[in-house]
Amino acid sequence: MTAIDTLVIGGGITGTVAAIALAKQGARVTVLDAGTNAGSDANAGSLHVQMQSRFMRLYPDQVPNVEASLPFYREAAEEWARLDEQLGGLDLIREGGLMLAESHEQLAFLEAKAARESSKGLSVEILDRSALDAVAPWLGRQIVGAELCKDEGKLNPLIANAKLQALAKQLGVERHTACVRRIEVQTDGIEAITSKGVFRADQSVLAAAWGSGDLVAPFGITIPSKAEPLHMNITEAGAPAIHHLVQHAERSITLKQFGSGQIVIGGGWPAKSRGKVNPPSVQSFSLLGNVALAAKLVPGITGLRIIRTWAGMNTTTDGASVVGRLPQSERIVMAIPGDAGYTLGPLVGRMAAEIAHGQTPTMDIERFSPDRFAA
């Protein structure tokens, strides 16, 4: 087998970008991916920057970490813009994200949230109904206002994943479908014991998302990476032209339209886990509730047919990314995005590659160090 400088464990968006960045530096890189339940393969393409109300309701203890990370989210959206230019187009549109309010109480919540986000450098403003009519006339009449985050956007993850994997292959990155059972650190490198044999390398970038915590547990560190099964839908192509990422102040939803005209509807409705090996299954109440809410918010899509539904794994930790060398083993570099992992993935992957290459990261990521879990 070809000698390996860096073994990237996890072939989603984070691991693929890390592999590309290392290969561009001349490193011999191999990616190992289990081939199942990768969040990147099931993602709907939202570029989240503002705090999501769904996350704030479900994980209030993690909100301080997300809020402190907002400049990182903004930079992550810029990273996607750079990739869009480098790769020749990813169906990326950044006209902002609208978080909708259907009552004055909800709008007051958004006003308070926007003030916090503005203090972290985000470009946000509150729009009343008349201002909304100018930018989103397709919204239901019950919407009284919205928060507009100009930093947000959307892209087509099928295009992005395919182009990034093609670039990695072009750069000589080897990719194997193999389930990593454990990692062992030797005096002269690391070994990954997998379903396809043993892979040896000088070091590893661990970008296995929700599976990362189990792999580092034997080293005496507890990273609370958890799999969260979520539901998504896509419609046939149709009008209206929705240029924004759409969310809600209280309800779980994301809605966006691809350049193809198809509309992707998701936003955190639950799916049923079937274990780590099998993909999660769709639940009828999520399907019906998700699309009914979408039709209420955007009445113009009511006649469109749902052509596919699916479920995939999101990853949660403590509300912040985990990036840096493992304190118990300098040969392992952690690369777990925080909430909204697809948004953060390329930036986290690049930061991890810089660390693995012995460089100082271009952003201050000290607060994302795995050291915080060492106790």
Side-chain angles (χ1 to χ4, degrees), residues 26-78:
R28 297 163 297 181
V29 185
T30 291
V31 174
L32 301 180
D33 188 78
T36 58
N37 278 340
S40 297
D41 292 338
N43 195 268
S46 303
L47 292 186
H48 291 288
V49 178
Q50 66 178 306
M51 291 187 287
Q52 298 177 62
S53 60
R54 168 188 172 272
F55 188 90
M56 296 173 75
R57 292 193 310 276
L58 293 179
Y59 308 105
D61 58 313
Q62 298 181 25
V63 170
N65 277 338
V66 173
E67 187 170 1
S69 302
L70 288 176
F72 198 61
Y73 282 75
R74 185 189 59 208
E75 181 59 27
E78 295 297 333

Side-chain angles (χ1 to χ4, degrees), residues 161-364:
N161 293 345
K163 287 192 173 184
L164 285 166
Q165 289 184 22
L167 177 58
K169 184 176 181 180
Q170 178 185 333
L171 291 169
V173 174
E174 291 190 11
R175 187 182 179 100
H176 299 274
T177 300
C179 180
V180 178
R181 292 168 176 156
R182 67 181 187 277
I183 303 170
E184 295 182 356
V185 177
Q186 313 294 337
T187 56
D188 58 348
I190 66 105
E191 289 186 349
I193 291 80
T194 81
S195 57
K196 299 292 181 64
V198 178
F199 290 78
R200 297 177 177 85
D202 294 335
Q203 62 179 345
S204 175
V205 171
L206 183 49
W210 52 267
S212 300
D214 288 344
L215 288 173
V216 299
F219 296 98
I221 187 166
T222 303
I223 297 178
S225 58
K226 298 177 182 178
E228 181 186 29
L230 299 178
H231 176 93
M232 284 149 284
N233 315 275
I234 189 167
T235 73
E236 62 184 334
I242 301 170
H243 300 299
H244 299 86
L245 170 63
V246 179
Q247 301 177 81
H248 193 278
E250 284 189 0
R251 306 291 300 278
S252 294
I253 192 164
T254 58
L255 185 149
K256 70 198 75 70
Q257 190 169 28
F258 289 157
S260 64
Q262 295 174 289
I263 295 170
V264 180
I265 305 164
W269 288 70
K272 184 177 181 179
S273 176
R274 298 194 299 154
K276 297 179 179 180
V277 176
N278 298 308
S281 60
V282 169
Q283 299 188 93
S284 59
F285 77 88
S286 286
L287 166 60
L288 297 173
N290 196 204
V291 299
L293 177 58
K296 179 185 177 185
L297 299 178
V298 186
I301 71 173
T302 302
L304 295 179
R305 293 173 296 180
I306 298 294
I307 61 172
R308 186 164 67 93
T309 66
W310 71 99
M313 291 296 196
N314 183 44
T315 298
T316 65
T317 52
D318 63 346
S321 299
V322 186
V323 193
R325 293 193 181 274
L326 198 68
Q328 289 80 354
S329 175
E330 290 290 299
R331 293 187 183 273
I332 299 175
V333 179
M334 302 302 301
I336 309 175
D339 184 59
Y342 200 79
T343 299
L344 296 174
L347 184 58
V348 168
R350 179 166 65 83
M351 297 292 105
E354 289 172 350
I355 294 169
H357 195 66
Q359 301 169 324
T360 300
T362 51
M363 290 189 70
D364 181 8

Side-chain angles (χ1 to χ4, degrees), residues 147-168:
E147 178 185 359
L148 171 64
C149 178
K150 298 177 182 178
D151 303 293
E152 292 189 312
K154 56 184 180 175
L155 58 90
N156 190 322
L158 298 179
I159 296 174
N161 293 345
K163 287 192 173 184
L164 285 166
Q165 289 184 22
L167 177 58

